[in-house]
Each structure stands twice: as C-alpha cells, then as structure tokens.
Amino acid sequence: MAAGGVYGWASWCYGASSAPSGAVALVGGAVLVLGSCAAYFVLVGGSGGFFGGLLLSLGMLLTVAAADQAAARPATATCAVREVHTKVQQSAGDGAPPARTVYRFALGCPGGYPAELKEDRAVAAVGEEIRVAYDPAHRVSAELEGRTAPWKPAAWAAALLALSATIAWAKRAPEGRPERLGTS
C-alpha cells in the first residue's frame, strides 16, 4: 500500500497541471517514504524490521523512478546537437564496476527548450538532429523520443517490495513453534 501511495504522489507531482512546487513534492514524498519505513520497522521489529524497512525504502524509491519514466512527455521536437560533452565516472575498489561514460548533448531546439539531454551512450554527433520528447511544463527531464519505459525500475521495485513483504510475513509466524514436515 505504501508503494502505491508513493507512486500516486509521484505521478501527481510529475504529471498533473495542479502539481505542487518542487519543495512541497520533495517533502511530501520524503514524509511518505520515511513514515512508511518507520511504521514497517515498528510493526515488524527487530533486525527483520530494519532490513525489511531498508528494502521497502529502496522499493519505494524505485517506484518513484518508475513514475518518472511513465510521466507524460507530450511534446516532441527535432533538435540539432550543438555540442557533445563526455564525462567518465570511475569506480573504485576491488570488484567495482567498470568506468561509465556519461554524454551530455547541448541542443538547439525550436523555442530553446530542452537545452540539453543526458544519455549513457552516444546517440548523435555534433551537427546531427535527434527527436526529443519533453514536458513543456518542465516537470520531468527530456528523453529521446520513444525511449522512456518504466518496466525496468518497476520490476526491481516489485522484487524489493515482495522481499520486504516476505520478511514481514515470516516475522508473523509464531516463535518457538517451528513446524516440521512429517510430524503431527
């Protein structure tokens, strides 16, 4: 239920014409997430409550990411790529993931918006044109046209929320009375 509430809040903040300001949206979302996790911890208790609450919070944050990806970007524009900037993000430590390159494309779009696009791959060279989907009200970031799909963060959110629910369910089993198969 908590994830549904957070998804509804995020969807309203990202997509409604009567959406609250950014500060109100952030504080409201934080209260929903932290309040839900605190309630989970109190109801479940112990280490299961802590780790289940942690999984619940991560699942709800991924739910917000899914709401962002599902948010409407009703306008499209054909934009010229004016500049391409790359930044390599290094990882440190034993077994760390390889370095990741982030591309920032400075765009020349009709009307001046969107002015930039960030991607994890090179999608165009300087001087080429790309189709960009964006929200004229500036509530969500611009994306390549046809690129946004909420399925990946939604699947991860569902997995973490299911694991959190499993921990809560397992803690409800009567303690001190382990069930054994084959005995009566």
Side-chain angles (χ1 to χ4, degrees):
M1 288 179 13
V6 168
Y7 184 84
W9 175 260
S11 295
W12 178 57
C13 292
Y14 286 137
S17 60
S18 62
S21 68
V24 171
L26 181 65
V27 169
V31 166
L32 283 171
V33 170
L34 294 174
S36 299
C37 292
Y40 182 96
F41 179 74
V42 168
L43 291 172
V44 175
S47 62
F50 174 76
F51 289 109
L54 183 62
L55 292 172
L56 178 66
S57 67
L58 292 174
M60 287 192 291
L61 292 175
L62 283 167
T63 301
V64 171
D68 173 52
Q69 292 297 312
R73 290 169 175 84
T76 58
T78 301
C79 303
V81 176
R82 294 183 300 147
E83 298 175 26
V84 179
H85 302 278
T86 60
K87 182 178 180 180
V88 177
Q89 296 176 341
Q90 297 290 337
S91 298
D94 189 29
R100 178 179 160 219
T101 303
V102 177
Y103 297 85
R104 188 179 66 81
F105 300 91
L107 303 174
C109 298
Y113 184 78
E116 75 173 15
L117 177 72
K118 292 181 182 174
E119 286 290 324
D120 57 355
R121 62 186 175 95
V123 295
V126 174
E128 292 183 2
E129 292 185 339
I130 56 175
R131 296 278 299 164
V132 179
Y134 66 96
D135 177 19
H138 303 235
R139 290 180 298 253
V140 292
S141 60
E143 292 280 345
L144 288 175
E145 185 178 38
R147 180 97 192 271
T148 60
W151 307 119
K152 189 174 183 179
W156 278 105
L160 291 174
L161 293 169
L163 190 55
S164 176
T166 302
I167 290 171
W169 177 77
K171 289 291 283 187
R172 290 185 49 101
E175 293 184 30
R177 292 183 50 193
E179 294 183 27
R180 294 187 182 149
L181 296 175
T183 61
S184 19

